[in-house]
Amino acid sequence: MIGLDDLPIRDDLRGLSPYGAPQLDVPVRLNTNENSHPLPAAVAEAIGKALTAELRDLNRYPDRDALALRSDLATYLGHGLTADHVWAANGSNEIQQQLLQAFGGPGRSALGFSPGYSMHPLLALGTGTRWVPARRGADFGLTADEAVAQVGEHRPDVVFLCSPNNPTGTALDPAVIRAVLDAAPGMVVLDEAYAEFARPGTVSALSVLPGHPRLVVTRTMSKAFGFAGGRLGYLAADPAVVAAVQLVRLPYHLSALTQAAARAALAHRDALLGTVSEIIEQRDRIVGELRRRGLRVADSDANFVLYEVGGDQSVAWRALLEYGVLVRDVGVPGWLRVTAGTRSETDAFLAAVDSVQRGGPVAPQPRPTKGTS
């Protein structure tokens, strides 16, 4: 057998490892920002019926342009959007990859503000787009002046913004978005994967879309909808952007089964989004309890919390793992990220934090009951 380095792969891929969080069989998994609540039985049944209805025609290709699904997504988003403003793919990562294929590529650059979503520079690498790492402030915030100065210095073809930001959880002021749109020479991609968890008063970039044809808002059904296994992401933008992305999409990229399952989930969105308030409750509980324990915590509008551990985050990560709790080391020195799950998962996480702080003996953690809050 040969090794990876024995193959004639691109030089810029040598020495790299595939993206991915650890997938470990532990009692409490709070590392990938999944929705911990399983689908309600009625929704699972509806999705099953929708899939069954597609089975006889699996010998045929799916609707290449997913028009019915795009129409349903536009209805969900509101803001006067139609199917012509929406595009869907296998997760928001594929959406963003397609955007870089259309607007980035060799000889072009993309800029993002760190700490930010770690897939963005990897998507740039995969599409041959030069990545420009810009910086957030010491408090993980981003002001209009800071953003404009860095965009003006580098003049990127694509700017990535995240609101709420991953991994910090912080939402952007719409003034920052507008300022970046005015300063950027190319496209501005606003990643709103966690928009449904934002605190009251947080404004979506969807409200900024009118009159800004270079703005793209990307969303996902993985988080608030609890549809991570369904792999459905989408964008909202000017119809010309949708036409541009169609130039680079693979034919029939979105299977008939994915389209049917996503449409059934959207038809039951009230039931699926019913867990959002419970997740927000646990997120705010985590923020409050960690601060009560004397830890620094970033304000969060997402379904996760970034908090300072007071030392080497890799050591703290392993210590929590010994108590059966898996969180995420996102590479921010001294900080860890924890997903807000069910009430019992929060109980287990906080108990593990207390045990680590005390330096007590490791005790096995029971697996929380699925769906408990």
Side-chain angles (χ1 to χ4, degrees):
M1 294 181 60
I2 64 172
L4 181 61
D5 288 338
D6 297 315
L7 294 173
I9 64 171
R10 288 164 29 191
D11 289 340
D12 56 351
L13 296 180
R14 292 191 181 278
L16 299 182
S17 299
Y19 170 87
Q23 292 183 307
L24 305 177
D25 184 19
V26 297
V28 183
R29 292 186 297 175
L30 300 174
N31 67 324
T32 53
N33 299 339
E34 296 163 319
N35 187 324
S36 293
H37 300 265
L39 298 187
V43 181
E45 181 179 356
I47 292 175
K49 289 181 179 178
L51 294 176
T52 299
E54 296 292 327
L55 295 181
R56 282 188 59 86
D57 294 324
L58 283 185
N59 59 310
R60 301 295 184 183
Y61 286 115
D63 175 7
R64 181 178 56 223
D65 297 327
L67 285 172
L69 172 59
R70 288 161 58 195
S71 179
D72 290 350
L73 289 166
T75 299
Y76 167 65
L77 291 176
H79 292 271
L81 298 172
T82 68
D84 290 338
H85 298 90
V86 176
W87 181 249
N90 296 284
S92 57
N93 286 339
E94 185 177 39
I95 288 287
Q96 292 159 4
Q97 177 178 272
Q98 291 174 342
L99 289 167
L100 284 171
Q101 288 174 314
F103 300 106
R108 296 192 171 196
S109 64
L111 177 147
F113 297 90
S114 299
Y117 183 34
S118 58
M119 268 303 297
H120 291 159
L122 294 177
L123 292 171
L125 174 66
T127 57
T129 308
R130 181 172 61 87
W131 180 254
V132 179
R135 299 298 304 175
R136 288 175 167 264
D139 61 351
F140 304 130
L142 184 64
T143 68
D145 288 344
E146 291 169 339
V148 166
Q150 296 180 83
V151 169
E153 177 185 354
H154 297 286
R155 306 290 293 170
D157 298 280
V158 180
V159 176
F160 280 100
L161 298 171
C162 295
S163 184
N165 184 52
N166 181 12
T168 65
T170 47
L172 286 175
D173 187 321
V176 176
I177 302 169
R178 293 189 178 93
V180 170
L181 279 167
D182 291 340
M187 303 299 293
V188 177
V189 179
L190 203 299
D191 187 335
E192 284 194 344
Y194 302 94
E196 287 90 349
F197 300 101
R199 287 171 292 180
T202 303
V203 179
S204 167
L206 293 172
S207 63
V208 185
L209 272 177
H212 292 100
R214 292 183 293 104
L215 174 63
V216 185
V217 180
T218 66
R219 291 279 190 100
T220 181
M221 291 181 67
S222 294
K223 312 302 181 182
F225 280 85
F227 199 68
R231 307 306 301 129
L232 199 290
Y234 55 103
L235 66 76
D238 189 275
V241 174
V242 175
V245 168
Q246 287 177 308
L247 296 175
V248 299
R249 62 101 173 95
L250 293 174
Y252 312 109
H253 70 292
L254 206 55
S255 79
L257 299 179
T258 298
Q259 293 183 45
R263 293 194 68 202
L266 285 165
H268 293 80
R269 56 182 171 269
D270 289 344
L272 289 174
L273 296 176
T275 63
V276 168
S277 60
E278 298 177 52
I279 294 169
I280 289 174
E281 179 182 351
Q282 295 309 308
R283 175 199 70 197
D284 294 343
R285 178 186 170 206
I286 291 170
V287 170
E289 289 293 334
L290 291 179
R291 286 176 174 167
R292 190 172 63 83
R293 288 159 170 78
L295 299 173
R296 288 177 62 201
V297 183
D299 290 332
S300 179
D301 286 282
N303 70 335
F304 56 83
V305 175
L306 186 74
Y307 70 100
E308 193 171 32
V309 299
D312 186 334
Q313 82 279 0
S314 64
V315 173
W317 179 86
R318 290 189 176 278
L320 290 173
L321 187 59
E322 291 191 18
Y323 287 93
V325 177
L326 179 62
V327 299
R328 187 71 177 269
D329 181 350
V330 293
V332 179
W335 295 72
L336 290 174
R337 191 193 72 193
V338 57
T339 303
T342 63
R343 177 176 295 276
S344 59
E345 287 174 332
T346 301
D347 289 343
F349 165 70
L350 293 173
V353 169
D354 288 340
S355 295
V356 170
Q357 286 187 325
R358 290 194 304 265
V362 175
Q365 290 288 324
R367 292 182 182 272
T369 304
K370 284 190 175 181
T372 58
S373 59

